[in-house]
Amino acid sequence: MDLADLSNKPKILKKLEKDGVRNVLFTDCLKQRDENIKKLVPMVLEIIETSNRFNREENRNYCLMVIGVPNVGKSSLINSLRRTNLKKGRASRVGGEPGITKAVLTKIQVSERPLMYLLDTPGVLPPKIESVETGMKLALCGTILDHLVGEDVIADYLLFSLNRLGKFSYVEKYDLQEPSDDVQHVLKRIAVKLGKTQRVKAITGVGNITVTIPNYTAAAYNFIRAFRKGELGQVMLD
């Protein structure tokens, strides 16, 4: 939620309801205290107790599984629940890239009353992504490792998306004169501004010389990271 455009909440809720999802909470797990995190355990209890399930009256503890696409914040949710309900530190590793959680971990307690455990799980994606654009959106949001797609390809799609949606904050951030759809030009300006250069050997007619050129890969990485951290404004990739 810390990166979401909350003006789109009604649109998001409508889409989720169409898909059969009616119990929705918007949480910010990076906050030390988030009011919606406090509502999660009572909501889960209500869903369990009003659903058809086998009789477990003799055992009143609950064990649930946290699932979602890679890098969406599953481990952060578990840590936030522990911090809120048990006043304890994190139990799951977190990171800014997919693949931090590599296996289903042991049960992690997140509540005392009621006694509730969660299982952290690796991120899951459909075996077949429906379109190239859907795949690019997932890559841009960090659900696929950058190098599997290519930082330059992701940066190109990011620039295209920002321009299409009229989000031009990158112009001021990277000292451009105006918006541009030339990703090489934009990455060159980013590299110059951030001092991201590399020295390479060039073969000439009089021998080899060493020249300094912009590091386009480093510039693309910075551009993508700035988007994911919300530094380029809130963008709805609909």
Side-chain angles (χ1 to χ4, degrees):
M1 191 178 80
D2 61 304
L3 298 178
D5 183 354
L6 297 183
S7 66
N8 284 295
K9 278 177 70 172
K11 185 177 180 181
I12 295 169
L13 289 170
K14 186 176 181 180
K15 174 66 169 65
L16 290 172
E17 186 173 355
K18 184 179 177 182
D19 293 341
V21 181
R22 292 180 174 80
N23 299 288
V24 180
L25 280 177
F26 290 82
T27 62
D28 184 350
C29 297
L30 297 183
K31 284 184 178 179
Q32 284 299 310
R33 297 175 63 86
D34 181 60
E35 291 301 316
N36 279 353
I37 286 291
K38 296 179 182 178
K39 300 175 184 177
L40 188 54
V41 170
M43 175 184 277
V44 168
L45 276 178
E46 183 180 354
I47 293 170
I48 292 173
E49 291 173 357
T50 57
S51 64
N52 295 322
R53 61 196 297 266
F54 60 87
N55 192 329
R56 289 189 58 201
E57 289 300 322
E58 75 286 354
N59 191 348
R60 297 301 297 171
N61 63 56
Y62 302 90
C63 185
L64 299 97
M65 184 176 287
V66 183
I67 61 173
V69 299
N71 202 29
V72 76
K74 298 179 293 296
S75 300
S76 295
L77 174 67
I78 289 176
N79 292 333
S80 183
L81 282 165
R82 281 175 58 83
R83 188 168 61 242
T84 300
N85 297 323
L86 300 177
K87 314 301 181 192
K88 291 186 177 181
R90 72 183 190 181
S92 286
R93 286 183 60 215
V94 297
E97 61 182 41
I100 297 297
T101 305
K102 298 183 184 300
V104 177
L105 303 179
T106 55
K107 295 192 300 184
I108 301 171
Q109 184 178 351
V110 295
S111 176
E112 185 69 43
R113 295 181 182 178
L115 187 57
M116 185 175 291
Y117 300 91
L118 294 186
L119 291 174
D120 200 359
T121 65
V124 290
L125 285 171
K128 184 177 181 180
I129 296 172
E130 60 189 42
S131 69
V132 173
E133 186 167 14
T134 299
M136 290 306 304
K137 290 175 181 178
L138 289 170
L140 186 52
C141 292
T143 62
I144 302 171
L145 288 169
D146 291 345
H147 72 269
L148 296 179
V149 179
E151 287 88 349
D152 56 336
V153 176
I154 300 174
D156 196 6
Y157 181 73
L158 171 56
L159 182 62
F160 163 76
S161 298
L162 293 173
N163 289 336
R164 178 174 63 86
L165 297 169
K167 303 286 188 177
F168 302 124
S169 59
Y170 71 89
V171 175
E172 181 178 355
K173 180 176 178 61
Y174 296 115
D175 296 337
L176 275 72
Q177 293 184 343
E178 59 185 1
S180 172
D181 59 3
D182 182 348
V183 71
Q184 292 297 316
H185 169 68
V186 172
L187 293 182
K188 183 177 181 180
R189 291 301 309 160
I190 295 173
V192 170
K193 179 176 175 61
L194 301 178
K196 302 292 185 181
T197 58
Q198 57 186 348
R199 294 172 65 82
V200 297
K201 285 186 177 180
I203 301 174
T204 70
V206 293
N208 297 346
I209 61 171
T210 300
V211 296
T212 301
I213 63 171
N215 188 330
Y216 290 99
T217 301
Y221 176 79
N222 182 275
F223 191 33
I224 297 164
R225 291 282 293 175
F227 165 76
R228 291 175 182 163
K229 292 166 66 177
E231 295 174 2
L232 302 180
Q234 295 173 325
V235 181
M236 180 74 172
L237 296 173
D238 53 9

